[in-house]
């Protein structure tokens, strides 16, 4: 076994473990952090395949931007995990069947792409240009419209995340900057003239008299 093969198995094992912990972690923040670990493991596998641009893009875009957005959304929404987990095992068999069907469909679609026997042979000039340049030319020529659609979807996701944080909450405290700017000194301090309050003198109760003429103390 070569060093590259050993590293592939190590990164694959870490990737599978992190992906499993994403769906089994009790805390949503921990699940997001395990997702970051899975992205790092996937980027290492991309490096082993000599696809350095995809590896760097996975780290910069997903780990550096998307996952930070996920963490902020999870922490700001304060999701009630206990309420979401109710009935988990009740719906688990159906969810497992749907997951297996999705995995089989993806395998049927993607397995054909791993057959490199019919792949076109690149010329020496194209190989000297580098993998990143060739990928950029292919993306911005043959896949320009899918790239623009993906950018629009990410923009919609960012706007939706911001809109979710602006919902009305009873326990949230915020200040309106426009009201602060329009504030005047008469709105902050008001002098009220009031009469002085004088305490009434204590009332002295005379001692009760005895029927025989004696005065009780």
């Amino acid at each position: 076994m070569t060093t590259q093969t050993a590293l592939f198995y190590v990164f694959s094992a870490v990737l599978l473990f992190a992906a499993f912990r994403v769906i089994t972690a009790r805390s949503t923040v921990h699940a997001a952090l395990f997702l970051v670990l899975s992205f790092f493991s996937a980027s290492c596998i991309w490096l082993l395949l000599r696809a350095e641009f995809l590896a760097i893009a996975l780290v910069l875009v997903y780990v550096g931007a998307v996952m930070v957005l996920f963490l902020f959304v999870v922490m700001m929404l304060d999701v009630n995990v206990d309420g979401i987990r109710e009935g988990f095992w009740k719906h688990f068999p159906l969810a497992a069947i749907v997951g297996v069907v999705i995995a089989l469909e993806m395998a049927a679609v993607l397995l054909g792409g791993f057959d490199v026997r019919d792949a076109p042979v690149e010329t020496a000039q194209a190989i000297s240009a580098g993998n990143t340049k060739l990928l950029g030319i292919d993306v911005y020529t043959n896949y320009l419209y899918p790239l623009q659609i993906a950018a629009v979807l990410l923009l919609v996701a960012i706007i939706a995340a911001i809109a979710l944080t602006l919902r009305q909450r009873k326990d949230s405290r915020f200040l309106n900057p426009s009201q602060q700017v329009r504030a005047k000194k008469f709105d902050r301090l008001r002098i009220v003239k009031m009469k002085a309050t004088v305490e009434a003198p204590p009332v002295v109760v005379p001692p009760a008299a005895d029927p025989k003429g004696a005065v009780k103390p």
Side-chain angles (χ1 to χ4, degrees), residues 41-94:
S41 303
S43 65
C44 293
I45 295 176
W46 280 116
L47 286 176
L48 292 177
L49 295 175
R50 297 181 180 179
E52 66 281 353
F53 176 78
L54 296 179
I56 297 300
L58 185 62
V59 173
L60 293 180
V61 176
Y62 285 94
V63 178
V66 178
M67 285 312 304
V68 173
L69 179 63
F70 282 177
L71 285 175
F72 274 103
V73 170
V74 166
M75 289 186 291
M76 286 188 294
L77 290 181
D78 193 14
V79 181
N80 186 9
V81 183
D82 296 332
I84 296 176
R85 288 183 176 273
E86 292 181 358
F88 174 78
W89 294 109
K90 177 181 178 181
H91 304 286
F92 178 77
L94 179 60

Side-chain angles (χ1 to χ4, degrees), residues 38 68 77 118 149 212:
S38 66
V68 173
L77 290 181
D118 299 332
I149 294 173
K212 298 180 179 180

Side-chain angles (χ1 to χ4, degrees), residues 51-199:
E52 66 281 353
F53 176 78
L54 296 179
I56 297 300
L58 185 62
V59 173
L60 293 180
V61 176
Y62 285 94
V63 178
V66 178
M67 285 312 304
V68 173
L69 179 63
F70 282 177
L71 285 175
F72 274 103
V73 170
V74 166
M75 289 186 291
M76 286 188 294
L77 290 181
D78 193 14
V79 181
N80 186 9
V81 183
D82 296 332
I84 296 176
R85 288 183 176 273
E86 292 181 358
F88 174 78
W89 294 109
K90 177 181 178 181
H91 304 286
F92 178 77
L94 179 60
I97 294 174
V98 173
V100 171
V101 171
I102 292 175
L104 292 177
E105 290 178 351
M106 292 180 63
V109 173
L110 297 177
L111 279 179
F114 291 94
D115 189 6
V116 296
R117 291 175 295 181
D118 299 332
V121 180
E122 298 292 343
T123 61
Q125 183 179 1
I127 295 176
S128 62
N131 184 25
T132 303
K133 184 177 181 179
L134 293 177
L135 182 61
I137 294 173
D138 199 13
V139 167
Y140 287 100
T141 53
N142 299 328
Y143 300 97
L144 180 60
Y145 290 112
L147 179 66
Q148 293 178 349
I149 294 173
V152 172
L153 291 177
L154 288 176
L155 179 61
V156 172
I158 294 174
I159 296 174
I162 296 174
L164 287 175
T165 59
L166 295 177
R167 74 186 194 278
Q168 296 293 331
R169 295 176 56 182
K170 295 181 180 179
D171 56 345
S172 62
R173 298 180 180 179
F174 64 93
L175 296 176
N176 192 348
S178 61
Q179 294 181 358
Q180 289 181 319
V181 173
R182 292 196 302 265
K184 300 179 181 179
K185 61 179 180 180
F186 301 104
D187 300 332
R188 298 183 180 274
L189 178 63
R190 184 175 60 179
I191 301 176
V192 179
K193 186 176 181 181
M194 300 178 62
K195 295 182 179 180
T197 303
V198 180
E199 295 183 358

